Amino acid sequence: AAKDNKEAFILFQKAKDAFVKEAGFNEFALFLNEIAGKKKSLEPLGNYFLGLNRYLQLKNLEEKQDWNEYFDKGNAYRQELISSLSSAIKVLSNGDPAKLYSGLLLWQFHQDQQDAFAEESLAELLAAVKAYAESAEDAAVIKEIADQLQSYEQSGRAKEIYRIFIDKMMKTNPEEKAIKEMAAGFFRGGNIELAETVYDAYFEKIVKTSPKEGVAAELSAVARDFSYKDGSSCDPAYAEKLFEQLVTLSGKDALDEQAAYLRAYNLEKLREYLKSRDAYISLLERFPASPYYDKVNFKLGIISVYALRDLKSAREYFQKLAGKEIAGSEVISSLYHLGLLAQWEEDLDRAKANYLKLKEKAASGFKSIMVMVEERLKEIADNKLLDNSLRSFLDVSLREEYGTFNMSKLELKSSAYNLKKDQEFTMSAIAYPPESGCMQVVLEYGWVGDLGKASPVFENSSFTSSYPEPGVKFIGLIVRSSGGIIDRAIDLIDVE
């Protein structure tokens, strides 16, 4: 009675559900053969459901561990599955969703079996999807195929098919709400690249149809979603792209205080230190009484001196904090770095004065920094050189002869950047030494800065630590090989 294949597919689906519910797989096979015998035009569609029926039957036998039927008749079921699906694929038109479902199921079967036909059937499925996209209107089945490939961890092919789906959807001129929901769905599912593709289409559409204030609000919200977050889906580079679009559209005043800080922080995590410094400076210019004042000034000092080789500016930022009466973490840390920089310059009187001022302000707190201060004061008292790793790190960061070292040959990565007090984290380093032929390169890791409870040795490319007190924590590293210094790197961790 079905008027067309679309209606017949729905009726077959209902019949399948009814039979499978009662585990009537063999009865459903008889039913399908009977239908095909009565109406030849339904045979291709029946073949798809016959293949699906045998696939589900084999899964059911495995789950029930009915090994008698599984081993007695399993091969026959598999042969019928392959022949039925292959027949359906051969006969069904390119624009029939059942052809795609048949191809998907055939690939799933081969993939489950991990046999030699899995890759071939996947390539044929991709070709069928492309042909379907050219000839059919309904794109929903394309997304279903991509979803299934994603569930099988076939991310590369899934993305390829998702992109076909997106292109198909955009040609239908969907409503803005539908595009936004699709993008948000991809984002929640961890398909970041696809989410970005759809969001780009969404913003391209609403910028032509919506008030500027509405577009700005949408850009800000999505930029926040993509900004760096520990343990969550994010893409700081895409977030910055949206922040840039927002500022271009509505000016920097479109960023409220929190968004302005988030943008600067996001650039910091991108290692875009010059842009990050500019963004932090803009934040303080617009919000001079910001609760981020201490944190931002300290970060500006660290970025200026150890990333951008700007010693003069760094001192100014540290000095703003050093003069404050209330001894917060960033105030104490700024005094330490003022002392450290003076000691490196061999201005020992000024270094000692900053260290002693730090001790006075710190009283009995800030134990990890106090340990470093006592080490520096002992060096001065004993007329010894600054710790070798610290001296080398400062040399590479500030001396002109090391100007070619730009932190491109060394990466630092923390398991988390926003910590609670006493929360453990792991800091890891990856170095990229020059080629050395067949010889193994032995590296020496000189960790510096506030390392918390950890005391890594030269052989350690990583360490696990925690901090007993809040504040911004600076970690630096210099790496050497037998051929000399490879590079330096810095990182900042926020502890609440």
Side-chain angles (χ1 to χ4, degrees), residues 304-305 307-311 396-399 402-405 488:
S304 294
V305 66
L308 303 179
R309 304 176 183 275
D310 185 353
L311 180 56
V396 174
S397 298
L398 292 169
R399 292 196 185 282
Y402 296 109
T404 56
F405 290 93
R488 79 192 188 289

Side-chain angles (χ1 to χ4, degrees), residues 193-300:
E193 292 181 14
L194 295 166
E196 292 168 1
T197 300
V198 182
Y199 271 125
D200 284 343
Y202 172 65
F203 288 122
E204 183 179 347
K205 190 175 181 69
I206 66 171
V207 78
K208 299 174 184 176
T209 59
S210 302
K212 186 164 70 172
E213 294 78 12
V215 177
E218 290 290 305
L219 283 167
S220 179
V222 178
R224 291 170 193 255
D225 285 342
F226 278 87
S227 294
Y228 178 82
K229 294 179 288 294
D230 287 338
S232 299
S233 295
C234 61
D235 183 349
Y238 187 70
E240 171 55 22
K241 172 184 172 180
L242 298 184
F243 279 128
E244 182 64 35
Q245 289 179 9
L246 173 57
V247 170
T248 300
L249 178 70
S250 301
K252 64 182 180 181
D253 289 342
L255 298 175
D256 61 21
E257 186 175 359
Q258 185 183 22
Y261 177 79
L262 184 60
R263 183 188 188 188
Y265 176 79
N266 189 65
L267 285 163
E268 174 194 317
K269 294 310 165 203
L270 273 172
R271 318 287 181 182
E272 293 280 358
Y273 290 118
L274 183 58
K275 291 182 179 180
S276 177
R277 184 171 73 164
D278 290 345
Y280 278 132
I281 290 171
S282 176
L283 167 67
L284 292 181
E285 287 175 347
R286 293 180 59 217
F287 306 100
S290 172
Y292 298 114
Y293 181 88
D294 286 8
K295 180 183 290 190
V296 167
N297 271 295
F298 181 68
K299 289 189 173 191
L300 283 169

Side-chain angles (χ1 to χ4, degrees), residues 46 76 93 176 190 215 340 411 442 447:
S93 69
E176 294 167 2
V215 177
L340 180 64
E411 293 181 19
V442 178
W447 296 97

Side-chain angles (χ1 to χ4, degrees), residues 16 132 159 386:
K16 184 266 295 180
Y132 177 86
K159 287 179 180 178
L386 185 64

Side-chain angles (χ1 to χ4, degrees), residues 3 21 25 34 50-51 60 83 90-91 127 138 157 176 183 205 214 227 229 251 344 351 364 383 389 400 419 476:
K3 298 174 183 177
K21 185 178 180 181
F25 299 103
E34 183 181 353
L50 184 56
N60 180 260
S83 62
K90 184 177 181 180
V91 175
D138 184 12
R157 293 297 178 88
E176 294 167 2
K205 190 175 181 69
S227 294
K229 294 179 288 294
W344 174 74
S364 60
N383 199 28
S389 291
E400 290 185 8
L419 307 176

Side-chain angles (χ1 to χ4, degrees), residues 52-312:
L52 176 59
N53 177 59
R54 293 309 187 194
Y55 181 83
L56 296 174
Q57 187 174 15
L58 287 165
K59 292 289 185 184
N60 180 260
L61 291 173
E62 290 172 0
E63 290 171 6
K64 293 194 309 180
Q65 297 186 352
D66 186 348
W67 304 123
N68 288 332
E69 183 177 358
Y70 186 84
F71 290 112
D72 186 36
K73 298 183 179 179
N75 283 337
Y77 294 159
R78 293 185 191 93
Q79 288 300 319
E80 189 173 23
L81 182 155
I82 293 170
S83 62
S84 297
L85 293 175
S86 298
S87 295
I89 292 168
K90 184 177 181 180
V91 175
L92 290 166
S93 69
N94 288 339
D96 194 324
K99 183 166 187 168
L100 294 191
Y101 288 129
S102 299
L104 172 64
L105 188 57
L106 186 58
W107 171 76
Q108 285 178 287
F109 169 75
H110 288 304
Q111 185 69 14
D112 292 343
Q113 299 289 308
Q114 295 185 337
D115 62 28
F117 300 100
E119 189 59 36
E120 179 184 343
S121 58
L122 182 56
E124 291 174 352
L125 174 60
L126 181 59
V129 169
K130 292 178 178 178
Y132 177 86
E134 293 176 359
S135 58
E137 294 296 327
D138 184 12
V141 63
I142 301 177
K143 182 177 183 298
E144 288 183 50
I145 302 292
D147 289 342
Q148 285 294 322
L149 291 179
Q150 188 74 18
S151 72
Y152 273 77
E153 299 183 351
Q154 293 283 333
S155 298
R157 293 297 178 88
K159 287 179 180 178
E160 193 172 351
I161 294 177
Y162 277 128
R163 292 189 190 284
I164 294 172
F165 167 68
I166 292 166
D167 291 342
K168 187 76 174 174
M169 283 290 294
M170 291 303 112
K171 290 177 182 178
T172 66
N173 195 28
E175 293 183 359
E176 294 167 2
K177 182 179 178 182
I179 302 174
K180 180 180 177 181
E181 288 176 352
M182 187 196 311
F186 282 132
F187 181 77
R188 288 191 299 270
N191 290 326
I192 299 298
E193 292 181 14
L194 295 166
E196 292 168 1
T197 300
V198 182
Y199 271 125
D200 284 343
Y202 172 65
F203 288 122
E204 183 179 347
K205 190 175 181 69
I206 66 171
V207 78
K208 299 174 184 176
T209 59
S210 302
K212 186 164 70 172
E213 294 78 12
V215 177
E218 290 290 305
L219 283 167
S220 179
V222 178
R224 291 170 193 255
D225 285 342
F226 278 87
S227 294
Y228 178 82
K229 294 179 288 294
D230 287 338
S232 299
S233 295
C234 61
D235 183 349
Y238 187 70
E240 171 55 22
K241 172 184 172 180
L242 298 184
F243 279 128
E244 182 64 35
Q245 289 179 9
L246 173 57
V247 170
T248 300
L249 178 70
S250 301
K252 64 182 180 181
D253 289 342
L255 298 175
D256 61 21
E257 186 175 359
Q258 185 183 22
Y261 177 79
L262 184 60
R263 183 188 188 188
Y265 176 79
N266 189 65
L267 285 163
E268 174 194 317
K269 294 310 165 203
L270 273 172
R271 318 287 181 182
E272 293 280 358
Y273 290 118
L274 183 58
K275 291 182 179 180
S276 177
R277 184 171 73 164
D278 290 345
Y280 278 132
I281 290 171
S282 176
L283 167 67
L284 292 181
E285 287 175 347
R286 293 180 59 217
F287 306 100
S290 172
Y292 298 114
Y293 181 88
D294 286 8
K295 180 183 290 190
V296 167
N297 271 295
F298 181 68
K299 289 189 173 191
L300 283 169
I302 292 293
I303 290 170
S304 294
V305 66
Y306 300 126
L308 303 179
R309 304 176 183 275
D310 185 353
L311 180 56
K312 180 177 181 294

Side-chain angles (χ1 to χ4, degrees), residues 335-355:
L335 280 165
Y336 174 75
H337 284 278
L338 285 170
L340 180 64
L341 292 169
Q343 188 177 352
W344 174 74
E345 292 178 314
E346 299 183 5
D347 187 344
L348 302 185
D349 289 338
R350 185 159 54 126
K352 185 175 179 179
N354 280 299
Y355 292 144

